[in-house]
């Protein structure tokens, strides 16, 4: 924009906004003086007015930022595009829907239209601003449903969007994150390239894995695999000040609907970022799921493998219920004896106690099989002596907070892409990487008919005008039927509900005028 035009536009803008503000102040002053208003009424009124004013201010600023149109500019096709007109663009922002005008150019050679201002401003006509999209994704991933997210947005920001827009914004961000994670995982798998570790490398690093089932529309119940990389800190117990408990710190999460092998590479990348190669000690905690220990052997060899204490003790309780069918003191005593033995690492003793009851093809056999398979991962006295966490409560709560709380609400059915995307958004958010997630987003672009063009507006072909019914279609109906239909339609038009008079007297008059009035009176 040249200096003179620029300063004129600026002055006009300042004057317009000053006038608006003066009018607003006067209107509000009159409003507040007509009758007593509570603080709540005043703040609601002011918020609405400021929202409208903010929208005007923002559209004015967008136009001010627009450079003065030039006669011609270079078109990506190599030809020259010439100035057409100042074309309005509508965009929905945190301050509501606003329209601003920007210069558009047309290319006579490739017939495309360009709006060069859209790229530096990072807006796409007809879409949402990046600020609004961020809020939509945040609410879409954290509220119970997309509809609740839209309602909360309207309540907090006075911006109305439909639940599907919230879904689209959340899933778009999720798809970007899923793609980024997959790219990093495939670089690690195929080229042996791992991302650099973050600066603060912990001495001791925990990796915990688990799965949670989510109901998908086409494939039924599918397992979302979750992984959590974290450190621990000894903390004073709340109820026993002299006792110390291990608390999780700095968790970062991975979640994916992928199979175990690709998920393993994703978790491998996450562990690399957290400094798995530099940490002195690595601990993998999980339940008895086979895939967990396969991944642990493949990606984290040398790690201390621990089977979660609570899962291990659950097998004792199941076996106790199977042996002592009724809930009795003997059952509790037996279970406690086995748990004590398990806690103190006397696994042979537990297996001996189970042996007389083996062969039930039920809980006892399951316990024997579990303890035999997981034996090397159940050296609990040694883990306790080394101050290691022995419960997978961390990953259990991860599954609940990360996945179940949002994706397993009553009656929820997900598309595979949707479940994967929302899980990814929640994983990044809960790992404290929201800013990094937003930085991965592409600059918004208007979706054109032909891809590969960044700044062009495709001239949209007009839809073909609806053809009047041809003589052939008209002839398809026999003449008598056609005449009767036309007569019925003409009669209908008189007393159609749309045309029904509002007053009772007029309605009665209309009913009396209907051709079938006599018949109806007779049958009544
Ligand atoms: Zn061109």
């Amino acid at each position: 924009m040249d200096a003179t035009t620029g300063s004129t536009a600026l002055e006009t803008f300042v004057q317009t906004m000053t006038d608006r503000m003066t009018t607003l102040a006067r209107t509000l002053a009159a409003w507040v003086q007509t009758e007593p208003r509570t603080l709540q009424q005043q703040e609601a009124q002011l918020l609405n007015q400021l929202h409208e004013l903010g929208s005007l201010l923002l559209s004015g600023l967008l136009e001010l930022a627009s450079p003065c149109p030039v006669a011609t500019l270079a078109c990506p096709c190599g030809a020259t595009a010439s100035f057409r007109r100042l074309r309005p663009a509508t965009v929905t922002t945190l301050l509501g829907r606003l329209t601003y005008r920007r210069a558009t150019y047309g290319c006579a050679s490739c017939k495309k239209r360009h709006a060069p201002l859209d790229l530096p401003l990072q807006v796409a006509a007809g879409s949402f601003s990046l600020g609004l999209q961020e809020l939509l994704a945040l609410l879409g991933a954290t509220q119970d449903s997309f509809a609740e997210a839209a309602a909360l947005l309207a309540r907090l920001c006075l911006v109305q969007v439909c639940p599907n827009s919230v879904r689209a914004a959340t899933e778009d961000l999720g798809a970007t994150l899923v793609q980024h994670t997959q790219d990093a995982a495939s670089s690690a798998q195929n080229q042996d390239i791992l991302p650099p570790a973050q600066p603060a490398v912990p001495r001791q690093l925990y990796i915990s894995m688990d799965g949670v089932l989510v109901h998908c529309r086409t494939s039924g119940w599918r397992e979302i695999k979750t992984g959590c990389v974290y450190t621990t800190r000894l903390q004073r117990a709340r109820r026993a000040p002299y006792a110390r408990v291990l608390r999780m710190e700095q968790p970062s999460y991975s979640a994916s609907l992928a199979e175990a092998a690709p998920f393993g590479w994703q978790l491998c990348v996450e562990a690399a970022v957290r400094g798995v190669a530099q940490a002195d000690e690595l601990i993998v905690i999980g339940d008895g799921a086979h895939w967990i220990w396969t991944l642990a052997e493949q990606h984290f060899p040398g790690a201390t493998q621990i089977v979660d204490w609570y899962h291990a003790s659950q097998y004792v309780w199941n076996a106790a219920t199977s042996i002592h069918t009724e809930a009795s003191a003997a059952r509790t005593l037996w279970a406690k004896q086995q748990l004590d033995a398990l806690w103190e690492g006397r696994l042979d003793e537990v297996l001996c106690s189970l042996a007389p009851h083996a062969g039930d093809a039920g809980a006892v056999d399951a316990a024997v099989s579990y303890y035999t398979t997981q034996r090397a991962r159940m050296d609990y006295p040694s883990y306790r002596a080394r101050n290691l966490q022995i419960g997978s409560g961390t990953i259990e709560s991860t599954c609940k907070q990360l996945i179940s709380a949002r994706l397993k609400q009553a009656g929820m059915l997900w598309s595979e892409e949707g479940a994967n995307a929302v899980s990814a958004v929640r994983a990044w958010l809960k790992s404290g990487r929201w800013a990094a997630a937003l930085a991965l987003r592409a600059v918004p672009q208007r979706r054109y008919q032909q891809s590969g063009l960044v700044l062009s507006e495709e001239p949209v072909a007009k839809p073909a005008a609806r053809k009047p019914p041809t003589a052939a279609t008209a002839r398809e109906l026999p003449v008598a039927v056609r005449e009767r239909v036309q007569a019925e339609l003409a009669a209908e038009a008189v007393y159609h509900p749309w045309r029904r008079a509002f007053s009772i007297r007029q309605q009665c008059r209309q009913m009396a005028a209907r051709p079938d009035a006599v018949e109806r009176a007779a049958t009544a």
Side-chain angles (χ1 to χ4, degrees), residues 186-209:
S186 76
S187 292
Q189 184 180 4
N190 303 324
Q191 298 157 41
D192 214 9
I193 300 172
L194 284 167
Q198 61 189 25
V201 172
R203 194 185 64 75
Q204 203 180 46
L205 202 62
Y206 284 82
I207 295 172
S208 185
M209 292 172 250

Side-chain angles (χ1 to χ4, degrees), residues 20-33:
R20 282 274 185 172
M21 192 61 213
T22 310
T23 312
L24 175 62
R26 286 186 192 287
T27 316
L28 284 173
W31 174 77
V32 85
Q33 282 171 336

